[in-house]
Amino acid sequence: EAAAAIHPNNQVRVLRALEHYRATGKKLSEQKAESLPPEKPYRSLILGLDFPDRATLYRRIDLRVDKMLDAGLLDEAKLVYEAELVWQNRETYRTAAQAIGYKEFFPYFEGVASLEACTDKLKQASRNYAKRQLTWFRRQNDAVWLYLDEEDVTERACTLVRAFLHNEE
């Protein structure tokens, strides 16, 4: 069951599933089923934010990357890159070095890609991540989706929150 749900190239999740089975003798799906309470222990309101036009979202992401660069992202990425070189055999910066926003600039620091190409790669990686997030959140059946380009989005969100809080049991 886990193999069907995990992409074969996702070595971290494949290894985790195998380690879990070897250590416990139970499949991850069995553990998950056993760990879920018979009913939800709390009420929640999930507000999802999106744009009806994907191009608008992608333009906003590109603008955010530009602002992050203006605010010093390149210097921060260089710090992670240099630390990764110095501490290759240690875990100090392993997660940061894999995070979106740093690793895309490593080819620039190595002199094998232009800053523009690396920036474009970061923008694409950020757009891909946003798409994965939206896909994940859309599986939340009880989510209420709000579109950020609507004039009354803040008012609508406040109305939904007030109604949710008013209906507490």
Side-chain angles (χ1 to χ4, degrees), residues 20-120:
H20 182 272
Y21 184 77
R22 185 172 185 189
T24 66
K26 292 184 178 182
K27 297 183 275 185
L28 282 174
S29 57
E30 292 172 337
Q31 182 208 357
K32 183 177 180 182
E34 291 172 3
S35 70
L36 293 175
E39 61 182 59
K40 291 182 179 180
Y42 52 84
R43 294 172 52 243
S44 62
L45 172 64
I46 301 170
L47 299 179
L49 304 177
D50 196 6
F51 290 94
D53 175 30
R54 189 60 51 94
T56 302
L57 173 62
Y58 290 171
R59 279 194 304 276
R60 296 273 304 256
I61 289 169
D62 290 350
L63 180 61
R64 180 174 172 260
V65 168
D66 292 338
K67 287 181 179 181
M68 289 168 59
L69 282 166
D70 291 343
L73 175 62
L74 193 61
D75 292 335
E76 196 174 316
K78 183 153 185 143
L79 175 71
V80 172
Y81 174 76
E82 290 172 347
E84 187 70 11
L85 291 176
V86 172
W87 302 104
Q88 278 182 341
N89 296 326
R90 296 184 52 191
E91 300 290 320
T92 310
Y93 284 88
R94 169 164 267 164
T95 301
Q98 295 172 358
I100 295 173
Y102 295 140
K103 67 181 180 279
E104 289 78 11
F105 291 108
F106 292 179
Y108 172 71
F109 301 137
E110 293 164 358
V112 297
S114 69
L115 180 58
E116 182 181 359
C118 292
T119 300
D120 288 345

Side-chain angles (χ1 to χ4, degrees), residues 43 161-169:
R43 294 172 52 243
V161 170
R162 281 190 207 98
F164 175 79
L165 294 174
H166 182 63
N167 290 326
E168 282 191 50
E169 297 174 1

